[in-house]
Amino acid sequence: MIKPKKSLGQNFLIDQNILKKIVSIIKIEDKSILEIGPGTGNLTSYILDNNPKKLLVVEKDKFLIDHLKKKFGSKIIIIHDDILKINEKKLYSEKLIVFGNLPYNISTEILAKWIINLDHKNFWFNSLILMFQKEVADRILSKFNSSNYGRLTILANWKLEIDKICDIKPDSFFPKPKVYSSLLFFKPKKNFYQFKNSKNLEKITRIFFNQRRKKIKTPFNILFKGNINVLNNLNIDLNLRPHNLNHDIYYKLTEEYEKL
């Protein structure tokens, strides 16, 4: 039996019902697929059963790569690399459907990297079917005025429509994590705010949520030097807290920041 590596955040999905559910979310036949962190190949097998046009997998663990080569041979294209270091836009010439049981320790970093690097018009994927720790998924899906609402919420919902498929119990994995997981489905939005530099939205939200329990007067003054025109244009009350401002306000704040 293959022993998962804690250092790489490996928790292999073994629940057959969940595996079947994942591959039934979207039509796979004759589509180009990317799987992040295939592990022992449990989901990989189900993807192949649905006759994809091409299946690429990204795996960092050399030991698992040897296992995948023996198990699947030429049926899959294995990319031995760290997903955080890959230029995802150069992985394949066609748009991909992406599946990923993401390591808990880097899941938010992966998603944030993909969103920030997205082109305004040409997305490199058709959809994302990704597994997160439930706590992280709750943050992604949260509404403003809630305690979970924050930077990740605003960033994830900027260019993507997001639906929750289901929660998954710890005993669906080996080894069992201490927390529940959630499966989310992402697809590109047709219309969204376009900024000169995506990193400006990251900067705005970082500064505002740096002290999320305090009033927004300080972060506003750091960024806008008390500019009364911005306050009037967006009708912002500086006595509010960061989680009291909805997504659109942060997108509009980014637009105003880029005008300075």
Side-chain angles (χ1 to χ4, degrees), residues 112-155:
K113 172 180 178 280
W114 287 352
I115 293 168
I116 290 168
N117 289 345
L118 285 175
D119 292 333
H120 286 314
K121 296 181 179 179
N122 299 314
F123 285 61
W124 59 272
F125 58 83
N126 281 316
S127 55
L128 308 172
I129 299 99
L130 304 176
M131 189 95 66
F132 294 90
Q133 182 177 335
K134 184 180 182 299
E135 179 186 342
V136 173
D138 289 345
R139 285 163 52 202
I140 291 171
L141 295 166
S142 63
K143 306 298 183 183
F144 80 101
N145 284 330
S146 69
S147 59
N148 282 325
Y149 180 78
R151 295 182 61 208
L152 186 61
T153 322
I154 296 159
L155 198 61

Side-chain angles (χ1 to χ4, degrees), residues 174-260:
F174 173 76
K176 293 181 184 180
K178 295 179 180 179
V179 295
Y180 272 67
S181 299
S182 296
L183 186 66
L184 302 184
F185 178 80
F186 303 77
K187 63 180 180 180
K189 286 182 176 178
K190 292 182 180 179
N191 298 302
F192 50 84
Y193 287 85
Q194 297 189 11
F195 307 127
K196 295 174 185 176
N197 187 339
S198 299
K199 291 184 178 180
N200 285 326
L201 176 60
E202 187 182 34
K203 179 178 180 178
I204 293 284
T205 54
R206 183 181 71 251
I207 291 174
F208 267 85
F209 283 92
N210 186 43
Q211 294 181 305
R212 60 179 299 129
R213 299 185 188 280
K214 295 191 175 182
K215 295 178 182 180
I216 63 171
K217 182 176 181 179
T218 297
F220 181 85
N221 287 335
I222 289 172
L223 289 160
F224 296 99
K225 308 294 189 282
N227 191 318
I228 194 69
N229 292 325
V230 175
L231 283 178
N232 292 336
N233 287 344
L234 303 185
N235 193 26
I236 295 175
D237 180 354
L238 293 182
N239 290 312
L240 296 174
R241 268 71 177 176
H243 68 276
N244 299 132
L245 304 181
N246 65 30
H247 302 89
D248 272 1
I249 294 295
Y250 283 104
Y251 304 144
K252 289 174 182 176
L253 280 167
T254 305
E255 285 185 327
E256 293 290 341
Y257 181 75
E258 291 190 333
K259 293 176 184 176
L260 297 178

Side-chain angles (χ1 to χ4, degrees), residues 100-113:
N101 175 20
L102 303 180
Y104 289 157
N105 56 342
I106 58 170
S107 61
T108 57
E109 195 175 352
I110 293 170
L111 183 61
K113 172 180 178 280

Side-chain angles (χ1 to χ4, degrees), residues 56-73:
L56 295 79
V57 303
V58 175
E59 179 55 63
K60 185 178 181 179
D61 189 333
K62 178 63 170 63
F63 182 76
L64 287 177
I65 286 175
D66 293 338
H67 169 79
L68 293 167
K69 285 179 178 177
K70 291 175 184 176
K71 188 172 183 177
F72 300 111

Side-chain angles (χ1 to χ4, degrees), residues 59-101:
E59 179 55 63
K60 185 178 181 179
D61 189 333
K62 178 63 170 63
F63 182 76
L64 287 177
I65 286 175
D66 293 338
H67 169 79
L68 293 167
K69 285 179 178 177
K70 291 175 184 176
K71 188 172 183 177
F72 300 111
S74 60
K75 293 179 182 178
I76 63 176
I77 298 171
I78 300 174
I79 301 167
H80 181 199
D81 210 336
D82 182 340
I83 188 61
L84 286 171
K85 296 178 180 178
I86 287 176
N87 183 342
E88 57 277 353
K89 290 180 281 190
K90 294 183 178 180
L91 279 171
Y92 198 57
S93 58
E94 297 179 11
K95 287 188 178 183
L96 296 159
I97 296 172
V98 182
F99 292 89
N101 175 20

